[in-house]
Amino acid sequence: MISEADMNNLRHLLGIGSHIKKRQWGYRNHFAPGGADIQGMERLETAGLVCKGRPYADTYFYHATEAGCVAAGLKPYQIRKAMEP
């Protein structure tokens, strides 16, 4: 079951926050979790909202899928920005 903390990590992964202007949301699409956040990212991966990227230290980078971008509340232009290589 995906928790609110998991969703907060998904939003962080996509650069969504009250300190970031909404038009800039989606400027990033990566997160290297640690501790309990690793299990949360695995739950998000199982739900199809993120995918595992390259290894990083004792974990992996994770990236939002298009479904994850939608679940996080991004608009179409923000999704395109987030999905750019």
Side-chain angles (χ1 to χ4, degrees), residues 10-60:
L10 177 60
R11 288 186 281 271
H12 170 73
L13 179 156
L14 289 164
I16 298 172
S18 60
H19 62 290
I20 299 167
K21 294 178 184 180
K22 286 186 179 182
R23 71 175 182 270
Q24 294 177 328
W25 289 1
Y27 78 92
R28 58 181 267 153
N29 187 354
H30 62 274
F31 179 57
D37 290 338
I38 294 171
Q39 292 176 335
M41 296 310 289
E42 290 173 351
R43 287 189 292 271
L44 291 169
E45 182 179 29
T46 299
L49 302 179
V50 301
C51 59
K52 194 180 289 182
R54 67 180 173 83
Y56 176 78
D58 293 334
T59 185
Y60 292 87

Side-chain angles (χ1 to χ4, degrees), residues 64-82:
T65 62
E66 190 168 338
C69 291
V70 170
L74 292 184
K75 295 180 180 180
Y77 79 92
Q78 295 166 321
I79 293 171
R80 284 191 300 276
K81 183 173 19 172

